[in-house]
Amino acid sequence: MRIALASPPIPKSLDSAISTLTELVQLAAVSKAEIICFPESYLPGYPGMGYSESDRSAPSLTRALEQVAALARKNSIAIIVPMDWHSEPGLQNLAFVISPDGEVMGHQSKNQLDPSEDEMWVAGTERQLFEINGVKFGISICHEGFRYPESVRWAAQAGAAIVFHPHFTGSDETGKVITRWGDPDSPYYEKAMLMRSIENTIYFASVNYASKFQESATSLIDPDGNCIAYQNYGESGLLIRDIDISLATGKLAKRFKKELY
């Protein structure tokens, strides 16, 4: 399977996010990618960045999802688009999966919120497995993939060959400039990515925004825990790679005796 991991800049508005998304989807489709994943809460943009109330309204987000579905259909590519979404329990952080035919196949909610997010979103309660072109995959959103390995283990035990991990770390305002992937002096995030793959024997695709002070790179980790590719820090664009699904055996995940815990 050929996958595309999008590293867009932090959007200025919902319209600018849609514009950048359109450009990156078209580039991924031209490169024959079968699926593209965007960072956490990409539509309308991560909370706290000054987005207007109209950008964050239910009608605006519904229209945005419809636009993305039409884009998937036009370009014959599957899209994972993380969004804020007005649901019955309240505002949730989730990722929609759209088929190459433009069908909204379902969504994965963020079920484990960071303590700082308790007043921002309502946590979800279910996990979903998806399949595109015969490849099964799961989604674990930011904090839950970094701090709750069970979210990735669940997908691997259910047969996922890859788990997509839309997240957001860093800032355009302040921070440290990282130049070396997996640097011992950098935050723990990239080390956690390695663990999520090697402890399950699957691919782990972690997707971040391109910002001035990134704390982790958009990265692709193979089932042996090797970072086989990453997007340069601070550079927006696409990371496109072919993955060998036969290597994603899920061997270690399948050996986990969950009944003991």
Side-chain angles (χ1 to χ4, degrees):
M1 170 175 266
R2 178 167 293 182
I3 65 171
L5 309 180
S7 295
I10 297 171
K12 301 297 184 183
S13 65
L14 180 57
D15 283 346
S16 71
I18 289 290
S19 177
T20 301
L21 181 145
T22 300
E23 178 184 346
L24 294 176
V25 165
Q26 290 172 339
L27 287 173
V30 167
S31 299
K32 306 300 182 184
E34 297 168 68
I35 187 168
I36 181 172
C37 181
F38 286 84
E40 179 184 22
S41 195
Y42 185 61
L43 300 180
Y46 199 86
M49 302 289 180
Y51 301 109
S52 68
E53 287 303 313
S54 62
D55 276 0
R56 305 188 61 78
S57 71
S60 292
L61 293 171
T62 298
R63 285 193 297 272
L65 180 60
E66 291 170 350
Q67 287 178 273
V68 178
L71 192 63
R73 182 170 57 254
K74 180 179 180 180
N75 291 275
S76 299
I77 186 173
I79 302 175
I80 300 173
V81 56
M83 300 182 67
D84 284 4
W85 195 254
H86 297 270
S87 62
E88 186 175 339
L91 187 67
Q92 290 190 308
N93 175 330
L94 50 79
F96 283 104
V97 177
I98 303 171
S99 77
D101 295 326
E103 173 195 358
V104 178
M105 301 174 65
H107 68 269
Q108 177 59 62
S109 56
K110 188 175 187 178
N111 299 341
Q112 294 283 171
L113 301 179
D114 184 277
S116 66
E117 298 169 345
D118 285 342
E119 302 302 318
M120 192 179 297
W121 294 300
V122 175
T125 58
E126 297 181 1
R127 304 218 67 83
Q128 307 290 323
L129 198 69
F130 305 92
E131 184 172 337
I132 294 289
N133 296 344
V135 178
K136 294 180 180 179
F137 62 92
I139 300 171
S140 181
I141 301 175
C142 199
H143 176 73
E144 59 183 3
F146 286 132
R147 295 283 193 176
Y148 294 88
E150 296 86 353
S151 66
V152 179
R153 179 82 79 185
W154 178 90
Q157 283 204 312
I162 181 170
V163 168
F164 291 93
H165 179 236
H167 73 278
F168 175 43
T169 68
S171 167
D172 272 341
E173 306 302 325
T174 60
K176 175 184 175 182
V177 176
I178 298 174
T179 58
R180 176 188 174 195
W181 197 95
D183 193 315
D185 293 329
S186 296
Y188 78 99
Y189 302 118
E190 291 169 350
K191 293 83 160 177
M193 296 176 193
L194 296 181
M195 292 307 303
R196 296 300 85 82
S197 68
I198 199 171
E199 67 197 6
N200 292 299
T201 331
I202 62 170
Y203 286 95
F204 191 74
S206 197
V207 187
N208 194 14
Y209 293 87
S211 64
K212 294 179 181 177
F213 304 102
Q214 278 182 242
E215 294 181 328
S216 55
T218 291
S219 309
L220 178 61
I221 318 298
D222 74 11
D224 290 325
N226 302 303
C227 178
I228 55 178
Y230 70 92
Q231 181 77 1
N232 290 335
Y233 303 100
E235 291 185 12
S236 61
L238 287 176
L239 185 65
I240 300 177
R241 289 292 185 277
D242 292 320
I243 60 174
D244 184 350
I245 297 302
S246 69
L247 301 178
T249 63
K251 180 178 179 179
L252 294 179
K254 293 170 185 174
R255 288 177 58 83
F256 179 66
K257 300 175 181 178
K258 59 184 177 182
E259 67 274 7
L260 299 180
Y261 302 91

